[in-house]
Amino acid sequence: FPTSRFEPRRILGAGALGTRVHCLDREAGMEASVLALRSDTLGRDLEAIFRDLRAVQQAGHPAVARILDLGCSGDGPQRAYVATEYLDGAEPLGMVIARDGPMSPEAWFDVAWALGRALQALHARGVLHRCLRPSSVLLWRGQVKLIDCALDLRRAALHAAASNPEGHLTSLGRSIAELAPYLPRELSGRPKGQSWAGPHSDIYSFGRLCALALTGKPEPGAADRLLLPEAWQK
């Protein structure tokens, strides 16, 4: 990414989508989180991804992390990047659940409502999130912030990681393993006949996130659901 504008401070993490770096945005005079995208794992061409990201940028929903810049950079092969606002102290939903255990229905409802409205805003503009998972939902100062919108993984990368028993030892394998339980078949499986991604695909992932938040498991069994109030069980 263009370090002339985004001065790198530290690496925040790396995974299937790319490497995320904490930077100083010299142009805007603020901190930024820059995701340098991996070209070998993205499921769609950059033109389609950037078109969706610009729609996200224009939507300006408060529960979606603000996009500061996007484009391609590099002296050799062009590398794509997406820069968003830096949310100091934000915690991924998965980390919160792992540390504190399942959330109460009352606490989760506030998070789920904001998340659902954010997805509704994206869908109204014809944009899908495509990789909704615990690490793409950040809890920050009492707010919900959704990141990694419009990004998805190539099926070949998903299948290769799933078939490799040592895959969990790499950052790519770990991030794909985290994503897998939340992906619907139309985004992860080997399609038979017509299979298309749509708002229903994000809703499937949203339902799995609800299950995780309330029970600690993305696919809870009957015994796990019995711990919830009857209305939430249904």
Side-chain angles (χ1 to χ4, degrees):
F1 56 87
T3 54
S4 56
R5 173 177 174 178
F6 298 103
E7 178 186 333
R9 294 288 179 84
R10 63 190 176 99
I11 294 176
L12 297 172
L17 295 176
T19 303
R20 202 178 306 272
V21 184
H22 175 203
C23 297
L24 172 64
D25 182 350
R26 293 191 181 98
E27 185 176 301
M30 61 185 291
E31 293 177 292
S33 174
V34 182
L35 177 63
L37 295 170
R38 290 181 61 133
S39 59
D40 60 330
T41 59
L42 292 177
R44 298 186 299 153
D45 61 82
L46 286 178
E47 183 179 350
I49 292 173
F50 283 173
R51 182 176 61 248
D52 282 355
L53 287 174
R54 292 187 185 97
V56 173
Q57 196 173 27
Q58 292 166 5
H61 194 278
V64 178
R66 183 158 55 97
I67 297 177
L68 306 176
D69 189 33
L70 54 92
C72 293
S73 182
D75 297 329
Q78 293 289 288
R79 293 292 301 273
Y81 69 91
V82 183
T84 59
E85 60 180 328
Y86 176 68
L87 305 168
D88 188 25
E91 293 187 301
L93 176 64
M95 182 184 296
V96 174
I97 300 299
R99 183 189 65 217
D100 302 335
M103 301 172 73
S104 69
E106 294 77 18
W108 172 243
F109 182 82
D110 292 337
V111 176
W113 182 264
L115 179 57
R117 293 303 296 270
L119 291 174
Q120 185 181 46
L122 296 181
H123 295 166
R125 289 182 172 265
V127 177
L128 304 180
H129 188 283
R130 296 180 181 271
C131 64
L132 192 59
R133 63 202 191 283
S135 61
S136 60
V137 180
L138 303 182
L139 305 182
W140 179 70
R141 300 179 183 176
Q143 302 178 50
V144 177
K145 292 286 186 176
L146 188 58
I147 62 173
D148 297 340
C149 298
L151 303 178
D152 60 349
L153 296 180
R154 188 174 298 167
R155 291 174 195 262
L158 295 170
H159 299 159
S163 62
N164 181 7
E166 301 298 322
H168 66 281
L169 299 178
T170 67
S171 61
L172 173 62
R174 285 194 302 271
S175 58
I176 289 179
E178 183 219 11
L179 175 59
Y182 303 90
L183 280 181
R185 291 287 295 174
E186 62 267 21
L187 291 178
S188 64
R190 294 176 171 86
K192 297 179 180 178
Q194 289 189 341
S195 179
W196 57 279
H200 57 276
S201 306
D202 284 345
I203 298 303
Y204 175 94
S205 303
F206 174 78
R208 288 295 182 100
L209 280 179
C210 288
L212 173 76
L214 293 168
T215 70
K217 301 177 182 178
E219 192 172 4
D224 302 306
R225 294 196 295 273
L226 284 176
L227 300 176
L228 298 172
E230 184 178 0
W232 284 89
Q233 291 181 37
K234 295 179 180 178

